């Protein structure tokens, strides 16, 4: 079938028509009364009196209209007024006018040519109205209210969705091999829909990309369109939520209408959770009417369109658990494509993709960067490469070095260095002991990741120093022993402060937070406590958004959990205390060295630790 590519724009004639109608009404109703007020009608005898009194200046005779228009001076205001009077068969008039010295002629002096009249009263206003209409339309479109005007309320404008060529391909998306494989089928369907139609195979109408923020969901959707070389219609869920009730639904309708005209194509709905949330059963005030209308319209459209035509709907969300089940039903978004945080290999690949356009020194080790960025998303990795390039420029170099990359990893993780932060000598000493405390406890346990860097240069994130530990490979499963040693390492900072200075500071607040969370997880979710065994006492809420959990047990159990968390952290702290007491000489030696150098590498640290 031939697709209809007519642009959905309102032609000039549309505005002209509105203008004509307005003018017609004005002419019929408003102008006559306005004119009537300007020209005073005067009786004939009154007119004669005015002539005799010398008040009349000029008289124009209009035989056709059967009237005389004259200009007279108003005696009370002393201003000229235009008057008219009906023609009266009067032979003495001419003589009378001459006697009074009045100028007279047989035509109306102020009358324009009919053509000029026509232009002034019709063409000029039409053009003005058209211009105004177009300007209004533009402003409204810019505001995202979609070309709304008196006659097309509830119709959204075409231009905001379509993007002809995204220019992104699967080559630009690194890692995420599973997601790419799942999307490959959609690409081939868009390229040759006939092949599928011949067999009678139906492809799913929609696929849902789910995963944490910054993992490349939007990028993947664009890449599908780019690979298949089809138009990309994209709209974000939040754009549907409109000021006016009904506009969201109208936008959905319009979006699908356009997509149908441009098929094959991709329709991408970003942040679908904003409209696709579970419809609640009576929230009282009915404040969600708009969202629900929009969602209903979306469901209707998805059911309504012909799947064989080649319109594929992709949607992205990082809160799949909150979506309305109706959206996930077969025939709608029944395909779910996970887009997870990249693993070690994925991270290295993403770093390489973003390093493509950047001048790098020959010996940069992307693997080392990838290992140091466990848990980072694609967006963060892209940011790390860019920060490194910026740093190289700041340093006046024209290539990026390994140092730039490592520094930028820390920048992205911990914020910029605060070179001019003012710390007293004593405070610096405390920070130094604190960090060495962490490192020493880590190094003296067999199950923890090796220390790679220790620094006491403050960061903009608020950290006064930190100890970096990088695992050798990718951690997929973490053993109980590993977690226990991690817990002890977290308590090592404050343990060192206590041991050396006999008092503690506020510096351990972040460690405490992490330790508590870890200990809680071990007890409530990983079944790592003797007392509870394999019972889930907490459930994770937002799978992809910062591990938010809620209790799933009785208050009596909640109390027991708290007790256990305290006990677990206390035992970890006891272990750290023991390690530090056993290695007190090394603690002093290392802290002094760190205080002097401010930043030391893992090798330097190990060399001093292993020195006799
Ligand atoms: P999401 O939509 O999942 O939140 P985006 O697709 O908007 O994430 O990703 C943001 C940016 O991060 C992308 O423009 C890209 O530069 C980078 N990025 C994320 N994931 C990847 C990846 N897998 N490969 C390459 N770049 C990526
Ligand atoms: Mg996105
Ligand atoms: Zn600490």
């Amino acid at each position: 079938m031939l697709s209809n590519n007519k642009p959905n724009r309102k032609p000039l004639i549309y505005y002209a028509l509105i203008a004509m109608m307005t003018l017609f009404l004005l002419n019929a109703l408003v102008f006559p009364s306005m004119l009537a007020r300007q020209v005073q009608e005067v009786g004939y005898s009154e007119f004669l009196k005015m002539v005799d009194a010398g008040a009349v200046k000029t008289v124009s005779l209009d035989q056709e209209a059967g009237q005389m228009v004259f200009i007279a001076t108003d005696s009370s205001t002393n201003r000229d007024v235009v008057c008219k009077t009906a023609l009266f068969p009067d032979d003495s008039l001419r003589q009378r006018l001459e006697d009074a010295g009045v100028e007279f002629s047989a035509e109306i002096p102020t009358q324009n040519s009919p053509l000029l009249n026509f232009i002034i009263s019709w063409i000029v206003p039409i053009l003005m109205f058209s211009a105004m209409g177009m300007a209004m339309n533009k402003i409204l479109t810019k505001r995202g209210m979609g070309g709304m005007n008196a006659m097309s309320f509830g119709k959204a404008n075409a231009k905001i969705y379509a993007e002809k060529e995204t220019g992104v391909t699967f080559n630009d998306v690194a890692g995420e091999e599973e997601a790419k494989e799942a999307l490959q089928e959609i690409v081939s369907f868009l390229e040759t829909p006939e092949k599928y139609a011949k067999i009678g195979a139906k492809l799913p109408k929609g696929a849902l990309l789910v995963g944490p923020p910054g993992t490349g969901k939007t990028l993947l959707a664009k890449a599908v369109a780019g690979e298949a070389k089809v138009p990309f219609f994209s709209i974000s869920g939040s754009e549907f939520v409109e000021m006016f009730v009904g506009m969201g639904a109208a936008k959905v309708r319009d979006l699908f209408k356009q997509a149908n005209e441009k098929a094959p194509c991709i329709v991408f709905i970003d942040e679908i959770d904003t409209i696709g949330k579970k419809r609640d059963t009576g929230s009282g005030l009915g404040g969600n009417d708009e969202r629900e209308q929009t969602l209903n319209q979306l469901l209707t459209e998805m059911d309504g369109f012909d799947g064989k035509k080649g319109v594929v709907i992709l949607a992205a969300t990082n809160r799949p658990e909150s979506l309305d089940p109706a959206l996930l039903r077969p025939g709608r978004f029944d395909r779910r494509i996970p887009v997870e945080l990249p693993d070690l290999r994925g991270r290295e690949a993403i770093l390489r993709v973003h390093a493509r356009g950047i001048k790098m020194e020959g010996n940069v080790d992307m693997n080392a960067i990838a290992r140091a960025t466990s848990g980072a998303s694609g967006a963060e990795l892209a940011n790390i490469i860019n920060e490194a390039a910026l740093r190289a420029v700041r340093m006046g170099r024209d290539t990026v070095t390994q140092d730039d990359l490592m520094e930028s990893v820390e920048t992205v993780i911990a914020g910029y260095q605060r070179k001019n932060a003012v710390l007293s000598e004593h405070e610096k000493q405390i920070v130094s002991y604190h960090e060495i405390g962490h490192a020493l406890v880590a190094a003296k346990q067999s199950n923890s990741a090796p220390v790679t860097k220790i620094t006491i240069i403050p960061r903009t994130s608020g950290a006064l120093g930190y100890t970096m530990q990088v695992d050798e490979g990718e951690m997929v499963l973490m053993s109980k022993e590993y977690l226990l040693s991690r817990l002890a390492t977290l308590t090592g900072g404050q343990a060192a402060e206590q041991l050396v200075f006999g008092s503690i500071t506020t510096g351990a607040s972040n460690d405490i937070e992490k330790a508590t969370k870890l200990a809680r997880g071990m007890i409530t979710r990983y079944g790592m406590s003797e007392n509870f065994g394999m019972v889930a006492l907490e459930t994770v809420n937002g799978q992809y958004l910062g591990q938010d959990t809620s209790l799933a047990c009785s208050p009596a159990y909640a109390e027991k959990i708290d007790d256990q968390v305290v006990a677990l952290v206390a035992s970890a702290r006891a272990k750290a205390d023991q390690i530090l007491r056993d290695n007190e000489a090394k603690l002093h030696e290392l802290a002094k060295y760190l205080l002097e150098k401010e930043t030391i590498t893992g090798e330097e640290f190990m060399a001093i630790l292993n020195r006799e």
Side-chain angles (χ1 to χ4, degrees), residues 16-28 31 114-130:
L17 264 171
I18 296 185
M20 299 253 281
M21 271 173 60
T22 317
L23 266 170
F24 179 77
L25 290 175
L26 284 176
N27 257 350
F31 286 157
L115 182 66
L116 197 63
N117 250 358
F118 178 74
I119 289 175
I120 288 174
S121 60
W122 287 98
I123 305 290
V124 172
I126 286 173
L127 287 177
M128 260 170 54
F129 273 96
S130 311

Side-chain angles (χ1 to χ4, degrees), residues 213-214 216-219 268 270-271 316:
K217 298 182 293 296
T218 309
L219 194 67
F268 179 55
D270 214 347
E271 305 164 45

Side-chain angles (χ1 to χ4, degrees), residues 10 14-15 18 136-137 140 147-154:
K10 282 159 208 102
Y14 173 86
Y15 297 104
I18 296 185
M136 284 275 280
N137 194 40
L140 290 176
M148 184 189 68
N149 58 40
M151 299 219 123
S152 66
F153 184 84

Side-chain angles (χ1 to χ4, degrees), residues 434-435 438 465-467 489-494 497 507-512:
H434 180 109
E435 294 309 329
H438 284 307
Y466 60 85
T467 303
T489 303
L490 283 168
T491 63
Q494 198 178 61
E497 287 181 42
S509 64
N510 188 251
D511 299 336
I512 291 170

Side-chain angles (χ1 to χ4, degrees), residues 57-336:
K57 286 179 172 168
T58 62
V59 175
S60 311
L61 197 70
D62 189 349
Q63 289 278 13
E64 241 171 87
Q67 64 177 18
M68 280 185 292
V69 176
F70 63 95
I71 295 172
T73 312
D74 190 331
S75 53
S76 54
T77 60
N78 219 11
R79 281 202 359 225
D80 286 353
V81 283
V82 182
C83 306
K84 68 177 184 189
T85 184
L87 268 185
F88 195 80
D90 179 358
D91 294 334
S92 63
L93 179 63
R94 192 179 154 175
Q95 190 56 47
R96 215 166 176 155
L97 290 174
E98 267 174 0
D99 290 347
V102 177
E103 257 180 55
F104 59 94
S105 58
E107 60 193 315
I108 298 173
T110 52
Q111 194 178 22
N112 296 320
S113 74
L115 182 66
L116 197 63
N117 250 358
F118 178 74
I119 289 175
I120 288 174
S121 60
W122 287 98
I123 305 290
V124 172
I126 286 173
L127 287 177
M128 260 170 54
F129 273 96
S130 311
M132 260 167 61
M134 280 192 287
M136 284 275 280
N137 194 40
K138 228 178 195 162
I139 290 166
L140 290 176
T141 312
K142 248 194 201 144
R143 285 223 207 119
M145 288 163 65
M148 184 189 68
N149 58 40
M151 299 219 123
S152 66
F153 184 84
K155 261 192 142 192
N157 199 306
K159 277 175 284 184
I160 52 174
Y161 312 121
E163 193 176 328
K164 256 241 137 67
E165 286 287 320
T166 60
V168 181
T169 66
F170 280 156
N171 267 335
D172 300 304
V173 191
E176 309 303 348
E177 296 306 326
E178 297 86 355
K180 278 199 253 180
E181 212 176 289
L183 290 168
Q184 185 58 50
E185 198 177 9
I186 291 178
V187 171
S188 94
F189 170 67
L190 287 169
E191 278 172 341
T192 50
E194 320 85 59
K195 209 166 73 185
Y196 288 78
K198 219 193 264 166
I199 280 192
K202 273 199 214 108
L203 221 78
K205 286 178 181 175
L208 189 64
L209 299 161
V210 297
T215 45
K217 298 182 293 296
T218 309
L219 194 67
L220 271 165
K222 282 189 180 167
V224 171
E227 286 282 325
K229 299 193 180 57
V230 297
F232 183 69
F233 289 84
S234 99
I235 191 160
S236 165
S238 53
E239 284 174 54
F240 281 128
V241 182
E242 277 287 345
M243 215 185 317
F244 300 109
V245 175
M247 285 299 283
K251 271 195 175 169
V252 174
R253 222 174 304 132
D254 211 38
L255 177 65
F256 277 86
K257 194 171 143 249
Q258 288 175 44
N260 259 320
E261 285 167 5
K262 291 262 160 65
C265 65
I266 295 273
V267 173
F268 179 55
I269 304 172
D270 214 347
E271 305 164 45
I272 195 169
D273 44 288
T274 42
I275 48 164
K277 260 187 241 136
K278 287 193 184 79
R279 285 168 289 189
D280 33 36
T281 41
S283 63
L285 291 167
N288 281 331
D289 265 7
E290 168 64 355
R291 202 174 51 71
E292 280 180 21
Q293 269 189 28
T294 310
L295 176 56
N296 287 335
Q297 188 65 43
L298 180 64
L299 297 177
T300 314
E301 292 290 345
M302 282 194 81
D303 290 344
F305 80 83
D306 183 1
K308 280 184 245 121
K309 242 177 117 180
V311 180
V312 173
I313 307 163
L314 296 178
T317 179
N318 39 39
R319 315 186 48 194
E321 67 284 345
S322 74
L323 289 181
D324 196 292
L327 265 177
L328 307 173
R329 209 201 62 183
R332 290 167 182 164
F333 293 106
D334 49 358
R335 227 179 240 203
R336 180 187 281 232

